[in-house]
Amino acid sequence: MSSIASSFGIGRTESKRSRRWSAALVRVLPALALFALVGCESESTVKNTSRTFRTVVIDAGHGGHDIGTHSRWGGTEKMAALDTALRIAPKLKAAGFNTVLTRNSDYFIPLSGRTRISNSQDNAIFVSVHFNEGPNRAAHGVETYYRSKYAREIADRIQGTVTSLPGVASRGVKTANFYVLRHNEYPAVLVEGGFFSNPAEGSRCASPAYREALANSIANAIISQRGPLQPVQPTSPAIAATTAAAPTVGPAPIPATR
């Protein structure tokens, strides 16, 4: 993840002591009212399928010319995210869920295409897989983001299951205004599976064994949220050939971030 703060498009505000409280309230109250109205309107467009979903849209972040973060320890985010997503899909299919991949190879899909794929499904949830970066190489851990209140429980389950893995630290469950969360009509979460900018954690993220464990944890959390739709069958590490993949969407002029 290049920069969480920049994804919000909100700059820092400075308080000025010289302003009177009455003047401040005159300016602030209309803005708060508008924020509340927009928030309610946005929330009302999200379908609460958090307990009824039968389809899971698995979104491998970045792709194609948009490599995401990268480091000499972790490689490229786009490939690590894709590998993890491809590992999640057969585990969910074994539990009876329909799975849809926003991409099943190294090509670029704009953010609008990802949400369009999700919104075209019936009775679904959306899980986006990413890896992180930061200016401080000591930064480490997994974090999960959501926006809709209907996605909070799913985010909590994923975060708790992933961070129960040995040596995986938790950076918590957080709200965010990322495009793929904001424009989704279904409960949507975004998982940051670790920091490529941290030498030790980046090396772990590059490990197939860790990505398998990460995928297994995410899948188990999703299954526990809904309950298996059929008895779970052992799955091969190989990608299930029947896993549905969304059609390629043409390039967009603006590179995707989140």
Side-chain angles (χ1 to χ4, degrees):
M1 177 179 188
S2 299
S3 173
I4 294 172
S6 62
S7 300
F8 288 87
I10 300 175
R12 293 182 178 179
T13 58
E14 296 181 359
S15 62
K16 297 186 182 297
R17 295 183 181 180
S18 60
R19 292 179 178 175
R20 295 181 179 180
W21 278 104
S22 58
L25 287 173
V26 168
R27 292 180 175 86
V28 170
L29 287 177
L32 289 175
L34 177 62
F35 177 82
L37 288 173
V38 171
C40 291
E41 181 181 0
S42 175
E43 187 63 60
S44 68
T45 64
V46 178
K47 304 166 187 174
N48 186 10
T49 55
S50 60
R51 289 287 184 175
T52 64
F53 65 91
R54 301 185 69 88
T55 296
V56 181
V57 179
I58 308 166
D59 174 47
H62 308 282
H65 68 269
D66 178 20
I67 66 173
T69 187
H70 62 94
S71 72
R72 63 177 179 270
W73 308 289
T76 62
E77 181 183 4
K78 67 173 184 176
M79 297 309 295
L82 176 62
D83 180 66
T84 304
L86 292 174
R87 292 173 185 272
I88 294 171
K91 302 177 192 305
L92 293 176
K93 288 185 71 67
F97 293 94
N98 177 43
T99 59
V100 176
L101 294 164
T102 57
R103 67 183 181 96
N104 62 358
S105 187
D106 183 21
Y107 51 82
F108 176 75
I109 293 187
L111 299 179
S112 59
R114 297 168 194 262
T115 54
R116 186 164 61 249
I117 290 166
S118 179
N119 295 340
S120 67
Q121 305 304 315
D122 180 40
N123 196 14
I125 63 170
F126 177 94
V127 179
S128 188
V129 179
H130 288 260
F131 290 86
N132 224 332
E133 69 171 357
N136 181 359
R137 288 187 178 179
H140 67 288
V142 170
E143 51 197 14
T144 305
Y145 291 90
Y146 73 100
R147 186 173 186 270
S148 166
K149 64 184 180 182
Y150 302 134
R152 174 62 194 258
E153 187 177 6
I154 300 169
D156 283 338
R157 284 183 185 273
I158 291 176
Q159 182 72 11
T161 306
V162 172
T163 56
S164 68
L165 292 172
V168 176
S170 176
R171 294 175 63 87
V173 173
K174 308 171 184 179
T175 57
N177 203 33
F178 301 140
Y179 187 101
V180 293
L181 305 184
R182 185 171 72 251
H183 291 277
N184 231 299
E185 295 176 8
Y186 289 111
V189 301
L190 186 149
V191 184
E192 295 279 3
F195 279 77
F196 274 27
S197 50
N198 180 299
E201 192 159 274
S203 298
R204 179 169 59 188
C205 290
S207 163
Y210 173 71
R211 294 201 293 258
E212 174 68 16
L214 177 63
N216 194 56
S217 294
I218 293 173
N220 284 343
I222 293 169
I223 294 168
S224 68
Q225 173 71 20
R226 175 68 168 86
L229 302 186
Q230 67 184 30
V232 178
Q233 302 295 326
T235 57
S236 167
I239 301 165
T242 57
T243 297
T248 305
V249 179
I254 301 176
T257 53
R258 289 289 183 273

